[in-house]
Amino acid sequence: RSAQVGPVVRAMKLAVCLLAAPVAGLVAPAAPARTATVLNAEMSKALPFLTAPKGLKGYIGEEAGFDPVGFAEIMDIKWMREAEIKHGRVAMLATIGYTYPEMPWFAQAFPGDAYSHSNPIKAALAVPPEAWAQVVLFCGVMEWSLNGGKVTMMTMFDGTSRAPGDFGWDPMGLMSPANEERMKMRELQHGRLAMIAIGGMIHGSFVTGTGVFGGMN
């Protein structure tokens, strides 16, 4: 009789295993443990799906946490902020210069047809190479002199405690200790907007063949 019971027991065990297999497939596997660092990571306010960048602490605009490429973590943040402020200042001047030839009160600054275009793209292509060389030379000399010849990312802030973009130039006295943070934020935001704006203006001129306000000449 025991010989008959053995095969029956084995058959019952096999049946239980076969029935349990699909049920086990319905149970989600245990999730791997996540570290407390990931679970408690601060997220960027500007890009909530990314973690807040680590290299912006102490700088104007850090609260937005916008650095999707991670430049602040792989490069010198002082040098990067210096470049951002300078490019923003140039862009703000560029938006004025780009639109000025189309203004009703436009007065030609230099004689000759090369300097008479209201379309900035035509104007840039019409001026002689010597004019562009003067611009590049002037910018290079200014950059060299302001930083004492230290213009690389590794050396620009050696031996100086100045804040990025701060050269002590405020001829109108707009900034005071009471509004310093607000004025710096304004400059940063206007500079960023101007960089986007001048890029859009230039591309618009290439597409339409005119200036910002339709100037064809």
Side-chain angles (χ1 to χ4, degrees), residues 79-92 163-167 184 187-188 191 195:
W79 190 81
M80 296 296 292
R81 177 51 61 88
E82 176 100 354
E84 180 181 27
I85 293 175
K86 286 180 178 177
H87 282 86
R89 290 168 178 170
V90 171
M92 286 188 280
D166 185 4
F167 296 99
K184 287 183 177 180
E187 181 186 32
L188 190 63
M195 286 188 280

Side-chain angles (χ1 to χ4, degrees), residues 101-102 106 108 112-124 126-127 216-217:
E102 295 183 88
F106 169 68
Q108 186 172 331
D113 292 339
Y115 301 95
S116 64
H117 296 287
S118 60
N119 184 331
I121 302 300
K122 289 183 178 180
V127 296
M216 296 290 293
N217 179 28

Side-chain angles (χ1 to χ4, degrees), residues 44-47 53 56 61-66 192:
S44 167
K45 291 183 180 180
L47 302 170
L56 298 179
E62 66 165 300
E63 61 277 0
F66 184 82
R192 289 170 175 173

